[in-house]
Short mmCIF file of all heavy atoms in Angstrom, two decimals:
data_model
loop_
_atom_site.label_atom_id
_atom_site.label_comp_id
_atom_site.label_asym_id
_atom_site.label_seq_id
_atom_site.Cartn_x
_atom_site.Cartn_y
_atom_site.Cartn_z
N THR A 74 10.97 25.49 19.85
CA THR A 74 10.44 25.52 21.21
C THR A 74 11.43 26.26 22.12
O THR A 74 11.04 27.13 22.91
CB THR A 74 10.23 24.07 21.72
OG1 THR A 74 9.22 23.47 20.91
CG2 THR A 74 9.83 24.03 23.19
N ASN A 77 11.42 29.99 21.29
CA ASN A 77 10.27 30.67 21.90
C ASN A 77 10.48 30.86 23.40
O ASN A 77 10.11 31.90 23.96
CB ASN A 77 8.99 29.88 21.62
CG ASN A 77 8.47 30.10 20.21
OD1 ASN A 77 8.88 31.04 19.52
ND2 ASN A 77 7.58 29.25 19.75
N ILE A 109 -4.23 31.48 20.69
CA ILE A 109 -3.99 30.31 19.83
C ILE A 109 -2.51 30.12 19.51
O ILE A 109 -2.16 29.52 18.49
CB ILE A 109 -4.84 30.36 18.54
CG1 ILE A 109 -4.52 31.60 17.70
CG2 ILE A 109 -6.33 30.32 18.86
CD1 ILE A 109 -5.08 31.52 16.27
N GLU A 110 -1.64 30.66 20.37
CA GLU A 110 -0.20 30.42 20.17
C GLU A 110 0.11 28.93 20.30
O GLU A 110 -0.63 28.17 20.94
CB GLU A 110 0.62 31.21 21.20
CG GLU A 110 0.54 32.71 21.07
CD GLU A 110 1.00 33.21 19.70
OE1 GLU A 110 2.13 32.89 19.28
OE2 GLU A 110 0.22 33.92 19.04
N HIS A 111 1.27 28.55 19.79
CA HIS A 111 1.76 27.18 19.95
C HIS A 111 2.03 26.94 21.44
O HIS A 111 2.31 27.86 22.20
CB HIS A 111 3.07 27.04 19.15
CG HIS A 111 3.61 25.64 19.14
ND1 HIS A 111 4.65 25.25 19.96
CD2 HIS A 111 3.27 24.55 18.43
CE1 HIS A 111 4.93 23.98 19.73
NE2 HIS A 111 4.11 23.53 18.81
N GLY A 112 1.98 25.65 21.83
CA GLY A 112 2.21 25.29 23.22
C GLY A 112 3.53 25.81 23.78
O GLY A 112 3.63 26.12 24.98
N SER A 113 4.54 25.96 22.94
CA SER A 113 5.84 26.42 23.44
C SER A 113 5.78 27.87 23.91
O SER A 113 6.60 28.31 24.71
CB SER A 113 6.93 26.24 22.38
OG SER A 113 6.53 26.83 21.15
N ILE A 114 4.81 28.63 23.43
CA ILE A 114 4.58 29.99 23.94
C ILE A 114 3.63 29.92 25.13
O ILE A 114 3.90 30.48 26.20
CB ILE A 114 3.98 30.89 22.84
CG1 ILE A 114 5.00 31.14 21.72
CG2 ILE A 114 3.46 32.21 23.43
CD1 ILE A 114 6.15 32.05 22.04
N LEU A 115 2.50 29.21 24.95
CA LEU A 115 1.47 29.24 26.00
C LEU A 115 1.96 28.62 27.31
O LEU A 115 1.70 29.16 28.39
CB LEU A 115 0.20 28.53 25.51
CG LEU A 115 -0.57 29.26 24.41
CD1 LEU A 115 -1.80 28.46 23.99
CD2 LEU A 115 -0.98 30.66 24.85
N GLU A 116 2.68 27.50 27.21
CA GLU A 116 3.16 26.85 28.44
C GLU A 116 4.28 27.67 29.09
O GLU A 116 4.39 27.70 30.31
CB GLU A 116 3.64 25.42 28.14
CG GLU A 116 2.52 24.45 27.87
CD GLU A 116 1.48 24.42 29.01
OE1 GLU A 116 1.87 24.28 30.18
OE2 GLU A 116 0.28 24.57 28.72
N GLN A 157 1.88 34.72 16.81
CA GLN A 157 2.40 33.86 15.74
C GLN A 157 2.06 34.45 14.37
O GLN A 157 1.04 35.15 14.23
CB GLN A 157 1.81 32.46 15.86
CG GLN A 157 0.33 32.46 15.72
CD GLN A 157 -0.37 31.18 16.13
OE1 GLN A 157 -1.54 31.07 15.90
NE2 GLN A 157 0.30 30.22 16.73
N ASN A 160 -0.95 30.10 12.12
CA ASN A 160 -1.29 29.10 13.13
C ASN A 160 -0.97 27.69 12.64
O ASN A 160 -1.21 27.34 11.49
CB ASN A 160 -2.77 29.21 13.50
CG ASN A 160 -3.14 28.25 14.61
OD1 ASN A 160 -3.70 27.18 14.37
ND2 ASN A 160 -2.77 28.59 15.83
N ASN A 161 -0.48 26.86 13.56
CA ASN A 161 -0.08 25.51 13.20
C ASN A 161 -1.27 24.58 12.98
O ASN A 161 -1.16 23.59 12.27
CB ASN A 161 0.87 24.92 14.24
CG ASN A 161 0.42 25.18 15.65
OD1 ASN A 161 0.22 26.34 16.04
ND2 ASN A 161 0.23 24.14 16.44
N ASP A 194 6.36 34.19 16.22
CA ASP A 194 6.66 32.79 15.95
C ASP A 194 6.28 32.55 14.48
O ASP A 194 5.11 32.48 14.14
CB ASP A 194 5.83 31.92 16.90
CG ASP A 194 5.98 30.43 16.62
OD1 ASP A 194 6.55 30.08 15.57
OD2 ASP A 194 5.52 29.63 17.45
N GLN A 197 5.53 28.22 11.19
CA GLN A 197 4.67 27.65 10.14
C GLN A 197 4.64 28.54 8.90
O GLN A 197 4.33 28.09 7.81
CB GLN A 197 3.24 27.47 10.66
CG GLN A 197 3.10 26.41 11.73
CD GLN A 197 3.26 24.99 11.19
OE1 GLN A 197 3.11 24.73 10.00
NE2 GLN A 197 3.58 24.06 12.08
N LYS A 220 10.33 22.27 9.65
CA LYS A 220 9.08 22.57 8.95
C LYS A 220 9.37 23.02 7.53
O LYS A 220 8.46 23.29 6.76
CB LYS A 220 8.31 23.68 9.68
CG LYS A 220 8.14 23.48 11.17
CD LYS A 220 7.13 22.41 11.50
CE LYS A 220 6.94 22.34 13.02
NZ LYS A 220 5.97 21.39 13.43
N SER A 344 -2.38 19.44 16.08
CA SER A 344 -0.95 19.57 16.35
C SER A 344 -0.41 18.22 16.78
O SER A 344 -1.10 17.42 17.41
CB SER A 344 -0.68 20.64 17.40
OG SER A 344 -0.77 20.09 18.68
N CYS A 346 1.78 17.54 18.93
CA CYS A 346 1.96 17.41 20.38
C CYS A 346 0.68 16.88 21.00
O CYS A 346 0.66 16.10 21.94
CB CYS A 346 2.29 18.76 21.01
SG CYS A 346 3.29 19.81 19.98
N TYR A 355 -7.55 23.21 21.58
CA TYR A 355 -7.80 24.52 22.22
C TYR A 355 -7.90 25.62 21.18
O TYR A 355 -8.51 26.66 21.41
CB TYR A 355 -6.74 24.85 23.29
CG TYR A 355 -5.35 25.09 22.75
CD1 TYR A 355 -4.94 26.34 22.29
CD2 TYR A 355 -4.42 24.05 22.69
CE1 TYR A 355 -3.67 26.56 21.78
CE2 TYR A 355 -3.14 24.26 22.20
CZ TYR A 355 -2.77 25.51 21.74
OH TYR A 355 -1.51 25.71 21.25
#
Side-chain angles (χ1 to χ4, degrees):
T74 295
N77 282 345
I109 60 166
E110 294 302 305
H111 185 259
S113 52
I114 292 288
L115 290 179
E116 287 305 310
Q157 61 193 188
N160 184 260
N161 44 303
D194 175 348
Q197 293 288 340
K220 310 287 184 178
S344 86
C346 325
Y355 67 86

